[in-house]
Amino acid sequence: MTSPLSATPLRLGIAGLGTVGAGVLRLLATNADLVTARAGRPLKVTAVSARDRTRDRGVDLSGIRWYDNAPDLVSDPDVDVVVELIGGSEGQARAVVESALAAGKPVVTANKALLAIHGPALARLSAEKSAPLLFEAAVAGGIPAIKMVREGLAADRLLRIGGILNGTCNYILTVMRETGKDFGIVLADAQKLGYAESDPSTDIDGLDAAHKLAILAGLAFGQPVAFDSLHVEGIRRIGALDLGFARTLGYRIKLLGMARMGEAGLEARVTPCLVPENAPIAQVDGVFNAVVAEGAFAGRLMIEGRGAGAGPTASAVAADLIDIARGHTIPVWGVQATDTPPLQANPVSAGTGAFYLRLLVEDRPGVIADITAVLRDCGVSLRSMLQHTPEQNDADPYVPLVLVTHQTSEAAMQDAVTRIDGLDVVTDTPVMIRIETD
């Protein structure tokens, strides 16, 4: 439903004035004429809330009401739409969104954690109160991933969704591959450059990507996904050695979040993967994100761009506000909310695939026979094997050994890795990485 053009401003209350919040204010001021033309009416910020009233954010806040307590902003009669940019799945962010929807006010948010964890309840509240909830900025910054899945592919049955969903991890893996530097060094450099937080665990342990994957999967399959059923791994254990071996084998290593719907149910995981170096997604480097969708009729599509930052994220927030101004809104998951329980992802052990396994082993006769015997007993077939590296010191008592398997069950592979890790000839924990060939 589209509303007629109106000169009456759409009045906005913005909760959270960090990088993104200030970016939204800046964009609305800079592009006021363009936004008004496309929205059919002016967008006017009438109220804001943040923790520090004295901080200089580089934007003009004159004439805008200030609320020290963000939930109080919701009840302001001069606020038509609430924009939540506080972040986090609990606390004031959750209170602002829930109270706004309960009051029948539309909400725009960039809060991926809130949607991934509380999305089902928020969708029901949105439907009950006829209060739109839009969140284009919650996944991949300025990339229109939500619109692609929920609107552009609305008539298609999606088979899979996902991609490179965290720019920090993609940057770290790119620099490790290009420079040969190890994880800890590159992470420290990324923190100095502002590409990684002082506490980077949400990014490098895969949680941020998992939040985004849960949202994308819910949209793709028309039903929210139980976040705690996702399998999540990060990149802490990936070494420069692995990037080098991957190159030798014709692959690159990327942290991927992928969800597939098959006859056996939902497979959804965030894990480092080896992808063929000539695959389109392998070419997405640095802080860029990429979202891949595959439909039964549309086939495979990929869109890429900057997945974070003030500009891209503010652009996505403003796009949602324009939709609300024009009366163009659709249900949270693309279909009417129901009381159906969220989709549960299958256990990761139920999957199949080919795998890269890197070991550090004693350099003596019989070691390879011991390891291959374990793989044989677990029903895992080897495709290829690599030993040593050009930089290997012959005096070193331990050498890297890389094994690449044929397709096998993940349960068998996990069993094999557990047994191999218990061998006296193996030092350090084995590194197992899934190989994505399609």
Side-chain angles (χ1 to χ4, degrees):
M1 177 178 177
T2 303
S3 63
L5 300 186
S6 169
T8 304
L10 184 69
R11 300 168 299 179
L12 314 176
I14 299 179
L17 289 180
T19 300
V20 176
V24 170
L25 283 166
R26 195 172 296 111
L27 183 149
L28 292 177
T30 302
N31 292 352
D33 291 345
L34 176 67
V35 169
T36 298
R38 291 181 175 171
R41 59 197 296 195
L43 302 187
K44 180 182 179 182
V45 179
T46 56
V48 296
S49 176
R51 283 182 294 186
D52 184 358
R53 190 188 289 245
T54 63
R55 178 182 164 195
D56 182 8
R57 296 170 173 85
V59 292
D60 183 9
L61 297 176
S62 60
I64 300 175
R65 277 187 295 283
W66 181 282
Y67 288 89
D68 293 312
N69 184 43
D72 292 343
L73 172 148
V74 174
S75 58
D76 189 320
D78 290 328
V79 169
D80 302 314
V81 178
V82 174
V83 182
E84 185 276 306
L85 301 173
I86 299 170
S89 63
E90 306 299 334
Q92 288 205 337
R94 182 180 179 185
V96 164
V97 173
E98 289 181 341
S99 58
L101 294 175
K105 292 189 176 184
V107 173
V108 172
T109 181
N111 194 332
K112 50 194 171 286
L114 181 69
L115 290 161
I117 296 171
H118 300 295
L122 295 176
R124 288 193 296 271
L125 185 57
S126 171
E128 289 169 6
K129 299 297 182 178
S130 299
L133 172 61
L134 280 72
F135 47 92
E136 183 65 59
V139 176
I143 305 174
I146 304 299
K147 288 185 182 295
M148 177 182 77
V149 176
R150 191 169 57 179
E151 299 176 43
L153 296 172
D156 207 351
R157 184 175 299 279
L158 295 192
L159 307 175
R160 71 170 188 162
I161 190 75
I164 296 172
L165 305 178
N166 183 270
T168 298
C169 289
N170 203 39
Y171 173 83
I172 291 171
L173 292 172
T174 299
V175 175
M176 287 173 66
R177 187 189 77 238
E178 292 176 346
T179 66
K181 294 179 180 178
D182 236 322
F183 174 79
I185 296 172
V186 177
L187 171 59
D189 290 342
Q191 289 171 314
K192 292 176 184 176
L193 292 169
Y195 293 146
E197 302 287 345
S198 56
D199 177 4
S201 55
T202 298
D203 291 318
I204 64 175
D205 290 332
L207 192 61
D208 175 81
H211 288 147
K212 298 169 186 174
L213 179 64
I215 295 169
L216 287 174
L219 294 169
F221 308 126
Q223 186 177 344
V225 172
F227 181 74
D228 59 5
S229 72
L230 302 183
H231 177 79
V232 183
E233 298 175 30
I235 63 170
R236 288 182 190 266
R237 298 205 63 248
I238 305 298
L241 194 63
D242 297 306
L243 278 296
F245 275 124
R247 181 187 295 111
T248 300
L249 292 165
Y251 295 96
R252 291 184 177 180
I253 298 176
K254 298 291 184 180
L255 182 73
L256 298 183
M258 296 300 302
R260 295 178 176 87
M261 183 63 77
E263 293 181 2
L266 175 65
E267 176 189 346
R269 65 173 76 210
V270 173
T271 58
C273 294
L274 269 71
V275 296
E277 60 186 359
N278 60 353
I281 203 162
Q283 312 306 314
V284 179
D285 282 336
V287 296
F288 279 65
N289 284 192
V291 176
V292 178
E294 184 174 348
F297 281 79
R300 188 172 303 179
L301 304 91
M302 187 180 90
I303 51 177
E304 65 173 293
R306 293 189 177 275
T313 310
S315 176
V317 169
D320 279 346
L321 291 169
I322 288 172
D323 276 350
I324 290 174
R326 299 189 71 89
H328 175 64
T329 59
I330 57 178
V332 172
W333 303 114
V335 296
Q336 286 302 128
T338 68
D339 291 328
T340 304
L343 284 169
Q344 295 282 330
N346 293 332
V348 70
S349 59
T352 61
F355 297 89
Y356 160 104
L357 179 62
R358 191 254 295 167
L359 310 170
L360 198 59
V361 301
E362 287 188 27
D363 190 10
R364 64 175 175 80
V367 169
I368 293 176
D370 292 344
I371 292 168
T372 54
V374 172
L375 294 171
R376 178 202 62 209
D377 293 344
C378 293
V380 177
S381 174
L382 278 183
R383 191 180 83 193
S384 63
M385 180 173 61
L386 293 175
Q387 297 181 69
H388 300 271
T389 64
E391 298 80 18
Q392 181 65 39
N393 181 353
D394 290 338
D396 194 332
Y398 296 101
V399 295
L401 174 67
V402 166
L403 308 171
V404 178
T405 77
H406 287 291
Q407 287 282 322
T408 186
S409 75
E410 188 137 352
M413 196 65 194
Q414 290 174 346
D415 184 21
V417 169
T418 299
R419 296 190 195 188
I420 290 171
D421 194 24
L423 296 175
D424 291 340
V425 297
V426 176
T427 184
D428 201 6
T429 304
V431 172
M432 184 180 85
I433 306 177
R434 186 182 179 90
I435 299 174
E436 286 284 346
T437 57
D438 62 347

